[in-house]
Amino acid sequence: MGKILILEDEDSIRSFVVVNLKRQGYDITEAVTGDEALALLKQDDSFDIALLDVMVPGIDGFEVCRRVREFNERIGIIFLTAKVQEQDKVMGLSLGADDHIGKPFSPGELMARIGSLLRRVRRQPAGGEDSGTLRSGPFEIHPEKVEFRKNGERIDLTPTEFALIQRLIEKEGSPLSRNDLLDEIWGVQYIGDPKIVDVNIRRLRQKVEEDPSAPKFIETVWGFGYRWQGRDAST
């Protein structure tokens, strides 16, 4: 099913998560400190997903996420935390997390969010026309290789960022609503904060725009969503 690292220092919560994930066939590795989790993720690049608590001994989950994104953009990262204030959610997502689940949570919600992220992590070549390279202005996106390039230079994207920008480029020139992007990228059963779309767009702009504060490629359609304008912006 997938290989998952769990960083959680509370035994009861960690056991609850482990039992439910093992029932679904996931390969689980446990860590109780941030330093331990970071060391495991550095040693083994085969993990599909990391579930990170924030308040743990040693370096906290936010710092684990930040450091992991320095060497691994492929892995999916979900925060499982009691820190559910708006600034905490934005902090985690801004550091490169793909999702945020507040405690307490149900097994069903956890499985749905992991399943959705795992599909993004383990992307398969799309069928028909979408299986080929997409070009837009100075950009190329290669679905089979899960590669995104600007002027021939590869830009590292998280699984969620890649899925999001591929969808925007596929619909170039057409506005996509936040709700549509939520349904298509995170899944129709996603019950988290819809602002997760905006945070990911902000991260994408930092990676693809010359001036993220004045974006040319990822346009905001006020009160609705976003639109990709790669070709027009390059002329």
Side-chain angles (χ1 to χ4, degrees):
M1 287 287 293
K3 187 172 182 179
I4 300 177
L5 179 137
I6 299 173
L7 169 60
E8 172 59 68
D9 65 320
E10 292 189 33
D11 292 341
S12 59
I13 297 176
R14 191 175 65 256
S15 297
F16 169 78
V17 174
V18 168
V19 166
N20 281 279
L21 291 178
K22 284 187 173 180
R23 284 176 179 169
Q24 299 298 318
Y26 289 106
D27 180 5
I28 305 300
T29 298
E30 302 174 47
V32 297
T33 71
D35 303 272
E36 181 185 5
L38 184 61
L40 288 166
L41 291 167
K42 284 183 175 179
Q43 293 165 9
D44 187 350
D45 64 358
S46 66
F47 287 103
D48 296 297
I49 292 174
L51 302 178
L52 306 179
D53 189 12
V54 174
M55 303 303 293
V56 292
I59 60 174
D60 66 21
F62 287 149
E63 182 63 12
V64 173
C65 179
R66 187 190 69 78
R67 295 191 192 182
V68 167
R69 284 301 183 219
E70 292 178 349
F71 62 85
N72 190 338
E73 291 280 2
R74 184 198 63 82
I75 190 172
I77 297 177
I78 300 176
F79 279 110
L80 294 177
T81 176
K83 294 177 73 65
V84 294
Q85 296 298 316
E86 183 70 22
Q87 62 267 29
D88 296 316
K89 294 180 183 179
V90 172
M91 169 69 79
L93 295 171
S94 298
L95 289 170
D98 297 277
D99 207 345
H100 182 290
I101 303 177
K103 297 176 182 177
F105 51 85
S106 69
E109 178 186 6
L110 179 61
M111 296 307 158
R113 306 275 273 272
I114 287 175
S116 174
L117 179 54
L118 190 61
R119 287 189 291 274
R120 281 173 260 154
V121 171
R122 294 185 161 185
R123 293 180 60 86
Q124 298 296 321
E129 295 180 359
D130 289 342
S131 63
T133 299
L134 299 172
R135 294 181 173 84
S136 176
F139 300 95
E140 291 182 353
I141 189 165
H142 305 270
E144 297 92 340
K145 300 177 183 178
V146 196
E147 287 184 1
F148 181 70
R149 296 180 179 273
K150 180 180 181 181
N151 295 319
E153 295 292 327
R154 179 168 179 165
I155 297 176
D156 290 327
L157 302 177
T158 69
T160 299
E161 289 168 351
F162 188 91
L164 183 56
I165 205 162
Q166 180 179 352
R167 189 56 180 157
L168 287 168
I169 291 176
E170 287 173 343
K171 294 293 187 180
E172 179 162 8
S174 299
L176 293 171
S177 72
R178 289 176 179 83
N179 287 337
D180 286 342
L181 290 169
L182 270 177
D183 290 348
E184 293 174 19
I185 308 302
W186 285 268
V188 294
Q189 295 181 329
Y190 183 79
I191 57 175
D193 191 335
K195 290 183 180 178
I196 194 171
V197 175
D198 303 316
V199 178
N200 274 273
I201 290 291
R202 194 177 311 144
R203 288 197 331 231
L204 276 174
R205 284 173 169 164
Q206 292 290 333
K207 295 182 178 183
V208 308
E209 302 279 0
E210 285 84 4
D211 181 1
S213 65
K216 297 189 301 181
F217 305 112
I218 305 175
E219 296 183 341
T220 297
V221 181
W222 295 106
F224 186 75
Y226 299 96
R227 173 173 53 213
W228 178 265
Q229 291 284 40
R231 292 189 182 90
D232 291 345
S234 65
T235 58

